[in-house]
Amino acid sequence: MNRITYEYPKDGKYGRYGGKFAPETLMPALEELEKAYLRFKDDPEFKKKLKYYLEKFAGRPTPLYYAANLTGKLGGPKIYLKREDLAHGGAHKINNTIGQALLAKKMGKTRIIAETGAGQHGVATAMACAALGLKAEIYMGAEDMKRQRLNVFRMRLLGAEVHPVESGSKTLKDAINEALRDWVTNVQTTYYLIGSVVGPHPYPMIVRDFQSVIGFEAKEQILAQESRLPDAVVACIGGGSNAIGIFYPFLEDKDVELYGIEAAGEGLHTGRHAASLCAGSEGVFHGMLSYVLQDENGQILTTHSISAGLDYPGVGPEHSFLKSIGRVKYDAVTDEEALEAFLQLSKVEGIIPALEPCHALAYAKKLAEKMGRDEILLVNLSGRGDKDVEVVANRLGVKI
Amino acid sequence: MSNISSTFNRLRKNSEGALIAYVTGGDPSPKYTPKIVKALVEGGVDIVEIGIPFSDPIADGPVIQASDVRALSAGTTPTMVLNIVRELKKTIETPIVLLTYYNIIFRKGVGRFLEEASKSSVDGIIVADLPVEEASEYKEYAEEKGIDTIFLAAPSTSSERLEKIVNMDSGFLYLISVFGVTGMRDHVAQLTIQTLKRIRQYTVNRIPLAVGFGISKPDHVRTIISYGAEGAIVGSAFVKIIEENQNDLPILLDRLTKYAREMKEATKLIS
Ligand SMILES: Cc1ncc(COP(=O)(O)O)c(C=O)c1O
């Protein structure tokens, strides 16, 4: 294995993945963004500001919690949860939105646009923008607006404008399409604050860098609490930002096994899922060469998952690279399995998790069966489940 | 010399600009497309752009997005569009250019796609989301097959980028007239004229420059031609005619021909 960590991917490529497949109108903006990011990322004043907002506004560092009850129940390795559910807004998304909103401000942009699926990135964008005095406009699929009504209202409370997207499948991919169309039109004044490690270079790199705070903290915390590294790390994969965030500082630690878990929806064989890495093929979509769910003609497929945040037919290019070299193992779990994990963690640990990381939890359960009691398993609990309570109640046939 | 280059040469001699018309292949159904193309040619269209529909056309506004949906709902595939072009080229000499998004090409395999395009006598290809930085493999195959690679320039394109683009470009250069997606606009913006003047300095005597996005009235055509454009690209306006008349083929074809004729007239300079 030669190179694993692409601190700064040349030409935006991770192996053969990534790149900048964007309309010409956006190319100069992507160059400008890259230049600005490289200029500010190591700038002491920028770093100080970022640190300030991450600590005092977002509540970092988030705890690394030893899930003693779950560990006892499963009877295998010691299970630790990285508590991104305790970050401001209830998910890891805030790490990225604060970073990018600060960058936008440095670049002199006053209007921020973003897409959102579950609404978590939209809420996190609205929060960061309100805090920093920026105007936020959020594109959200009309279908997602229905299943995540609470988050739509939260975004509006935070002063953001929410634009319903009626095209295509009316979910996350269409929200990104619409945000890109807005950006092409208003690129001179507008900053596109993308929500995951997807899109054309430099976005996958920028979002990864801002999210890697999860992994750097977790590494320090596990060393402090256990005096050693974990044996395995598990995270769920939508676009892949919480996963790359926790994986990145462990990539060179060869003894730490890394698992990225996608949404198998109703089952990979049914075609109703969102597992691009496990069941997709290489394609060029939303500005990047990566794994995508597509038909034999290259048309992008609609996806299905119980969790809106994983309902996306593409995945970040760095994950495609990590799959290609075998550094990370990618697998998928079904809606049903995620739901079971949701119920279990709530009852056993007193933590209601978001449906997205329930995919990681469900896989951790399977993995635990194969691991010894002296081993350590780290799960990225990327968000809390308040937003999903209604979906779960419906699914269980409970009226609330 | 390519069919596209000789078309521009011929028009230049007549002091005319080129009328370049875009329609989405398979809209409203694949069997209409050959008739639609012939109606355009009959109206005087000099170059026909046929879109291969894509599920996620991020550079397109609502009118062309809707045409992609119609074409895909009618079961249109890239292979069907290539076959339509092959049949058309048996009877018409008008250059045909494919316009699509890169995944359509990538999925088939870049080499195989260009091989099939060449067998269908495609004259040129435009890829909405393939900037020069990512285009070296595509360019190599296209050159080998003698297919023109038409790249795009935008108001935001710097002189430095423009130089790279012009070097990789063949057939004509597609100038995006505004910041935005495809769609009809009321008038030619000041920005369009400024950009046209700036970009023309790089293309003059090297490659014909055609302007698109928003061009929908004869007046628009006259304006851009008078500022030195050698072609006017009209898309959404033709696609809108298809949308509005999709249930009545004879009227649809008649309207396309009439509108093309009106727009073609405006490309003729009376000097
Ligand atoms: C709590 C939570 N986890 C995970 C995701 C998936 O995104 P990513 O794969 O980028 O972390 C989302 C997306 O909305 C989310 O809200």
Side-chain angles (χ1 to χ4, degrees), chain A residues 11 13 16 18-29 31 167-168 173-174 176-178 180-182 184-188 281-287 289 292 294-301, chain B residues 52-61 65 69 72 76-79 102-104 106-108 128-134 152-158 161 164-165 176 178-181 185 191 213:
Chain A
D11 302 326
K13 295 275 162 70
R16 59 184 301 245
K20 269 195 232 191
F21 296 85
E24 177 58 28
T25 307
L26 295 182
M27 293 301 286
E31 284 169 13
S167 58
K173 91 171 165 77
D174 310 285
I176 295 183
N177 291 345
E178 221 41 53
L180 284 168
R181 290 181 187 120
D182 180 316
V184 168
T185 309
N186 301 298
V187 65
Q188 291 158 297
S281 49
E282 289 178 5
V284 175
F285 181 51
H286 284 160
L289 199 172
V292 295
Q294 58 183 333
D295 71 10
E296 72 276 13
N297 296 311
Q299 309 298 351
I300 307 304
L301 297 173
Chain B
I52 301 181
F54 181 50
S55 54
D56 297 81
I58 55 161
D60 286 299
Q65 281 177 47
V69 172
L72 291 171
T76 309
T77 65
T79 303
Y102 193 54
N103 198 46
I104 296 293
F106 183 86
R107 182 63 165 154
K108 227 184 225 301
D129 58 351
L130 186 70
V132 286
E133 283 85 344
E134 305 287 353
L152 300 101
S156 52
T157 306
S158 65
R161 285 190 61 76
K164 280 192 237 168
I165 293 170
I176 299 170
V178 288
F179 285 100
V181 292
R185 288 172 177 86
L191 172 75
F213 280 44

Side-chain angles (χ1 to χ4, degrees), chain A residues 91-93 118 120 196 236-242 309-310 354 356-357 382-383:
Chain A
H92 68 294
K93 299 282 177 186
Q120 288 305 101
S196 191
C236 68
I237 307 246
S241 70
N242 86 87
L310 304 186
E356 290 83 9
S382 58

Side-chain angles (χ1 to χ4, degrees), chain A residues 245-257:
Chain A
I246 198 160
F247 292 166
Y248 190 66
F250 292 105
L251 284 177
E252 304 285 354
D253 300 311
K254 304 277 163 61
D255 295 333
V256 181
E257 290 186 347

Side-chain angles (χ1 to χ4, degrees), chain A residues 167 187 349 376-377:
Chain A
S167 58
V187 65
E349 289 292 352
I376 297 172
L377 175 54

Side-chain angles (χ1 to χ4, degrees), chain A residues 129-172:
Chain A
C129 288
L132 296 172
L134 297 161
K135 179 174 161 37
E137 291 181 38
I138 315 288
Y139 288 93
M140 187 171 190
E143 196 54 45
D144 288 338
M145 283 179 76
K146 263 189 263 167
R147 45 180 181 174
Q148 304 284 343
R149 288 181 302 167
L150 192 65
N151 272 343
V152 175
F153 188 59
R154 287 168 84 202
M155 285 184 266
R156 289 183 172 145
L157 285 175
L158 292 159
E161 217 177 304
V162 184
H163 301 297
V165 175
E166 300 282 354
S167 58
S169 56
K170 303 176 193 184
T171 59
L172 180 56

Side-chain angles (χ1 to χ4, degrees), chain A residues 50 53-54 57-58 94-103 128 132:
Chain A
L50 179 62
Y53 280 99
L54 285 178
F57 184 67
I94 195 84
N95 305 331
N96 169 45
T97 58
I98 288 178
Q100 286 201 63
L102 281 171
L103 183 61
L132 296 172

